[in-house]
Amino acid sequence: MLFSSVAFIAFFLVVFTTYWGSGLLPLSNLALKRGRVYLLLASSYFFYGCWSVPLLSLIAFSTLVDFVVGQRIGESRSPKTRRTLLVVSVCTNLGLLGIFKYANFFIAGAQDFLLTIGVEHEPILLNIILPLGISFYTFQSMSYTIDIYRGTLQPERNFGNFALFISFFPQLVAGPIVRASDFLWQVQKDHRLRDVDFDHSIDMILRGLIKKVLVADVIAGFVDTVFAAPEAYGTINTWLAMMTYTIQIYCDFSGYSDVAIGIAGLLGYRLPKNFDFPLMARGFSEFWRRWHISLFSWLRKYLFIPLGGNSRGALFSYRNLLITMVLSGLWHGASYAFLIWGLLHGLLLVGELIARPVFQRIAGFIPRVIGETAAICTTVALFSATLVFFRPQPLSAAFLMARTLFTWVPDSAIAMPSYTAMLVVAAVLTHVAGDFARNRKRETFAIAAPMLRSLQFAGLSILLILASESHEQPFIYFQF
């Protein structure tokens, strides 16, 4: 059920009405809290089961293992036992990822290696599908046991609370990745309808659906056309396609995150911000603090810092950055293209750190607005260029597009439709205005009059439903 579909709207209305309507029943406070937890848990499993009932067993298995392991780690005083239990949790979660996401990739890689040494062997590929959201909920579950092992979190004693943390439907299949310390306390609190921030939640849902349905899905046509036949387009059209693809991915993924945050808010829960106007970043270090915040804060906390972070000098810091970014690429997809994408971002981050003193000296000789604008444009352009390796396609096609970007290939005509250009320009201007308002702590889309908000919500809901029926597309990050 896509957030922009009529089916999801009907599903959520039932959940919302039942959830808050339960407060009218003659129940004790404890019974009401427990009932709401299991209502949301059942709703979450139903939501995922609409895609695949059998693969619900993976979520249930991961939940059960980490709940039991977390309890045992919390109870044990033996360092060896605690380490063993942590290994069980990490191996279980990474094992699920390895089987369902990376098995065929490694089998094919082994086949390639055997061929290079002259051994012919027909690989037996596994006939499996990639479960929706597996990269998200396994990272979420694994971080729980790691935090308990580190002593920064106490084990959750109620299985229902923990199961809801793993499977909460607004962010189940595409994040944000939530840490247990940020979620479990919310399960245990008293939720009251009068405490819900309806203005903010509806704002988030509307802007998210607008990004997804009225921008990302519409401009996808031009991007698909260029990616389908990259040899037919020259440098200008390829650059236009890559810049448009950047806007598409941003509006698609941040749109999902916005809707997830808004839906959770209507149920009394707060999810962490996942995007912070990243296309206004003045360099790649800043970019990765603004883009997919929940993933890269996870990687920093559970990978980069344990590798040593910045504590052992520049060379080790560069090494750790490269390892982290390569693995982030592999997290996104099991292919050489994603590994290259991650490596490129690691190299860009390292290059930026090395060149930072030079940039700072240059900045002293040019006006600030010119320097910042140049830095933003360069960051976005380079990010867009790396996306030739982000979209599933043959490596040969990705390298062809990369070569077209950086060597002049003439175009017969501009292929971008006018409505795509207008949407891209509107998205960029809105993004710039949003970052401007963010810096001044103002809500860009805040609407004061309740009546006007109601009319806006009704009108845009109808528009979104009609638009979603005409060109409904899955969220891009569902494939991860």
Side-chain angles (χ1 to χ4, degrees):
M1 288 190 291
L2 298 179
F3 285 163
S4 55
S5 68
V6 176
F8 179 81
I9 294 173
F11 161 78
F12 182 69
L13 286 175
V14 171
V15 173
F16 179 85
T17 304
T18 307
Y19 182 83
W20 291 115
S22 61
L24 302 176
L25 299 175
L27 300 173
S28 67
N29 186 50
L30 179 62
L32 180 61
K33 288 169 63 175
R34 295 266 50 89
R36 284 177 170 172
V37 167
Y38 285 103
L39 168 66
L40 291 180
L41 181 59
S43 301
S44 299
Y45 272 63
F46 175 81
F47 172 79
Y48 195 89
C50 286
W51 174 70
S52 173
V53 173
L55 291 178
L56 276 171
S57 60
L58 293 181
I59 300 177
F61 177 70
S62 180
T63 301
L64 180 61
V65 168
D66 283 329
F67 178 75
V68 173
V69 167
Q71 296 281 347
R72 297 295 179 265
I73 292 177
E75 295 168 356
S76 176
R77 294 294 175 265
S78 166
K80 182 178 180 180
T81 300
R82 287 165 59 84
R83 281 194 300 270
T84 301
L85 288 167
L86 179 63
V87 169
V88 169
S89 171
V90 172
C91 289
T92 298
N93 287 288
L94 294 184
L96 290 176
L97 275 178
I99 293 171
F100 286 91
K101 189 168 184 176
Y102 302 109
N104 285 334
F105 172 66
F106 289 123
I107 291 172
Q111 167 69 3
D112 293 339
F113 172 75
L114 291 174
L115 287 175
T116 61
I117 61 175
V119 178
E120 293 189 6
H121 172 69
E122 186 66 28
I124 301 175
L125 299 179
L126 303 180
N127 184 23
I128 54 179
I129 60 174
L130 178 64
L132 277 179
I134 188 170
S135 296
F136 290 90
Y137 66 73
T138 52
F139 268 35
Q140 196 159 298
S141 187
M142 187 164 52
S143 68
Y144 167 78
T145 53
I146 294 174
D147 285 348
I148 294 174
Y149 175 80
R150 291 177 172 178
T152 59
L153 181 71
Q154 292 299 313
E156 172 58 50
R157 301 298 177 185
N158 185 282
F159 180 74
N161 291 356
F162 180 71
L164 180 60
F165 157 64
I166 300 299
S167 63
F168 190 46
F169 73 87
Q171 45 82 225
L172 173 60
V173 295
I177 300 171
V178 181
R179 291 178 57 196
S181 58
D182 295 326
F183 188 88
L184 288 173
W185 69 270
Q186 298 186 69
V187 181
Q188 298 162 2
K189 67 178 285 192
D190 293 328
H191 291 280
R192 296 171 296 186
L193 185 60
R194 65 175 178 269
D195 295 331
V196 173
D197 189 344
F198 280 95
D199 283 355
H200 179 262
S201 297
I202 292 174
D203 254 354
M204 295 298 292
I205 292 171
L206 284 178
R207 77 175 72 175
L209 290 177
I210 289 171
K211 286 178 182 177
K212 166 62 177 171
V213 177
L214 300 184
V215 181
D217 286 358
V218 176
I219 67 177
F222 169 60
V223 177
D224 294 343
T225 300
V226 176
F227 270 96
E231 70 283 352
Y233 298 93
T235 302
I236 294 176
N237 276 316
T238 304
W239 268 112
L240 288 174
M242 298 317 301
M243 301 296 282
T244 303
Y245 189 36
T246 297
I247 300 298
Q248 181 195 351
I249 290 179
Y250 169 72
C251 288
D252 188 281
F253 191 23
S254 71
Y256 182 96
S257 297
D258 289 346
V259 176
I261 291 168
I263 290 171
L266 290 178
L267 296 171
Y269 286 81
R270 295 181 61 183
L271 298 181
K273 180 191 296 186
N274 212 20
F275 290 86
D276 191 14
F277 300 100
L279 302 183
M280 292 296 290
R282 295 151 182 82
F284 279 90
S285 296
E286 182 182 348
F287 179 88
W288 288 117
R289 291 194 297 269
R290 291 180 172 219
W291 178 283
H292 203 173
I293 297 168
S294 63
L295 172 64
F296 286 92
S297 62
W298 194 102
L299 291 172
R300 176 177 173 78
K301 183 178 180 65
Y302 299 107
L303 181 59
F304 178 73
I305 292 177
L307 285 172
N310 300 318
S311 62
R312 298 179 61 187
L315 289 179
F316 279 97
S317 175
Y318 301 156
R319 182 206 66 175
N320 296 338
L321 266 177
L322 288 172
I323 292 173
T324 301
M325 295 310 297
V326 166
L327 291 178
S328 79
L330 193 60
W331 178 90
H332 282 87
S335 72
Y336 293 115
F338 281 113
L339 284 174
I340 294 172
W341 179 82
L343 176 61
L344 287 174
H345 279 279
L347 292 172
L348 287 167
L349 284 166
V350 170
E352 180 181 296
L353 289 174
I354 294 173
R356 183 168 290 168
V358 177
F359 292 153
Q360 289 173 343
R361 284 197 294 270
I362 294 174
F365 296 97
I366 58 177
R368 179 178 176 182
V369 65
I370 294 177
E372 291 191 351
T373 301
I376 292 169
C377 292
T378 302
T379 302
V380 173
L382 289 175
F383 175 75
S384 300
T386 67
L387 291 179
V388 298
F389 297 103
F390 193 81
R391 187 180 175 110
Q393 62 173 333
L395 265 180
S396 58
F399 282 115
L400 171 62
M401 294 185 74
R403 187 165 60 250
T404 303
L405 287 174
F406 294 103
T407 60
W408 177 252
V409 178
D411 283 288
S412 57
I414 299 298
M416 177 184 279
S418 57
Y419 66 85
T420 299
M422 288 188 292
L423 281 174
V424 168
V425 170
V428 170
L429 292 177
T430 302
H431 197 74
V432 172
D435 186 65
F436 181 82
R438 160 191 174 273
N439 292 332
R440 285 150 183 79
K441 299 182 180 180
R442 295 199 301 266
E443 279 293 326
T444 311
F445 301 102
I447 300 172
M451 181 60 70
L452 182 58
R453 173 175 293 283
S454 300
L455 292 174
Q456 179 202 43
F457 181 67
L460 283 177
S461 296
I462 295 171
L463 178 61
L464 290 166
I465 291 171
L466 293 175
S468 67
E469 293 299 310
S470 61
H471 42 71
E472 184 177 285
Q473 297 188 36
F475 288 89
I476 292 173
Y477 264 66
F478 281 8
Q479 64 185 300
F480 306 135

